Amino acid sequence: QWQLVESGGGSVQAGGSLRLTCSSTGDALDSVCMAWFRQRAGKERERVASIFNDGQQPDSINYAKFVNGRATISKAYSRYRWYLELNSLNAEDTAMYYCAVDFDWRKCYFGSTTTEFEIWGQGTQVSVTV
């Protein structure tokens, strides 16, 4: 049984950085698609980044266009804990950030933006103050 818990959110000044962590109780040993999403107030949920690892290097990583180099997704060697480093934050980055996992690795295909993931965390709030 998979359960995801986000942590690391909080309030940060514009231009600052945060590192979000997704902690998972998953015990699957095969490859999965791990992702981060955000949902700004009054807007639809959108994918920030995804990472897929099949045991080889480098990991397959995709970012949303709006990231523009300001985020880095990574994972622990266990593959069941992953991170999102946010930097150069601005007010538009204020959102609830969610981690999610899907067991269909095709969800991590390059260019995929689907929000239809199987397992979700509860979210962690990121608030950027100006």
Side-chain angles (χ1 to χ4, degrees):
Q1 183 177 1
W2 283 69
Q3 292 183 335
L4 311 182
V5 178
E6 301 93 339
S7 62
S11 181
V12 62
Q13 292 184 334
S17 301
L18 286 174
R19 189 189 193 199
L20 310 181
T21 298
C22 184
S23 299
S24 171
T25 61
D27 57 1
L29 298 178
D30 55 350
S31 298
V32 297
C33 180
M34 297 161 280
W36 284 94
F37 297 79
R38 75 178 187 184
Q39 188 163 19
R40 295 174 289 171
K43 300 185 181 297
E44 63 186 8
R45 189 170 298 181
E46 55 191 342
R47 192 190 298 199
V48 178
S50 64
I51 184 168
F52 166 72
N53 185 281
D54 62 359
Q56 300 180 359
Q57 297 294 330
D59 296 331
S60 297
I61 296 173
N62 292 305
Y63 295 101
K65 292 181 180 179
F66 66 78
V67 168
N68 195 29
R70 300 182 301 112
T72 302
I73 189 170
S74 61
K75 64 171 183 61
Y77 288 113
S78 69
R79 298 187 293 171
Y80 306 122
R81 184 172 69 252
W82 55 103
Y83 311 94
L84 184 69
E85 296 180 357
L86 302 168
N87 57 81
S88 300
L89 289 164
N90 56 60
E92 292 188 351
D93 297 315
T94 293
M96 284 290 293
Y97 285 76
Y98 301 87
C99 63
V101 64
D102 197 280
F103 307 107
D104 182 357
W105 52 268
R106 294 175 296 179
K107 297 289 180 66
C108 274
Y109 275 1
F110 179 80
S112 177
T113 59
T114 180
T115 61
E116 297 178 0
F117 274 55
E118 290 194 32
I119 308 296
W120 292 83
Q122 82 291 341
T124 184
Q125 178 69 39
V126 172
S127 299
V128 182
T129 61
V130 181

